[in-house]
Amino acid sequence: MGSVIDFFLILTFPPPGKTSGEVHDRLCHKYPDKAIVTLGYGPDFTVLRSRGVLMNIPQMVRELQKEIPEASINGGGHLVVGSIKFVGGLRTKVLAKLAEKIGKAEVGMG
């Protein structure tokens, strides 16, 4: 995981999703036979990209909303790409729970 805020100015180009996507693409190119999950995060959001990991981001968002209601989690996406917004003060808790869920996901490089 890495904070995109550490490398780019806030509210400028490129946006966090594009930046995270570029990092993800480079990792996929460097490790073509590996399953890869990339999390780019900022103070109150995370952007997810994955390849070869069978996870359902909208389902994970729904689970996180129930498990940490005080975080006001919102977001979604597709099975392999998505983003999540949350209360910044609970970033560590949200990212830890998210990492736990990703760690349980099945790997399937097809």
Side-chain angles (χ1 to χ4, degrees):
M1 290 192 287
S3 176
V4 293
I5 300 302
D6 290 343
F7 301 99
F8 297 93
L9 298 173
I10 297 174
L11 301 175
T12 64
F13 183 84
K18 180 124 177 109
T19 304
S20 298
E22 179 66 24
V23 170
H24 180 74
D25 291 346
R26 288 179 185 210
L27 288 170
C28 288
H29 181 71
K30 185 173 181 177
Y31 304 102
D33 299 330
K34 301 286 184 187
I36 306 229
V37 176
T38 306
L39 293 179
Y41 63 87
D44 63 352
F45 69 89
T46 187
V47 178
L48 298 93
R49 301 285 185 271
S50 70
R51 180 193 68 194
V53 179
L54 306 175
M55 58 186 200
N56 182 328
I57 295 171
Q59 178 183 335
M60 289 193 304
V61 168
R62 288 189 298 273
E63 291 172 1
L64 288 168
Q65 287 170 331
K66 290 178 183 173
E67 294 167 4
I68 317 170
E70 66 274 19
S72 297
I73 294 168
N74 194 358
H78 305 283
L79 299 180
V80 297
V81 131
S83 61
I84 303 172
K85 288 277 291 171
F86 46 82
V87 172
L90 294 169
R91 178 176 74 177
T92 301
K93 186 174 184 177
V94 171
L95 293 179
K97 271 285 195 199
L98 179 60
E100 206 176 285
K101 292 180 181 307
I102 293 169
K104 292 177 183 176
E106 187 178 336
V107 173
M109 286 299 292

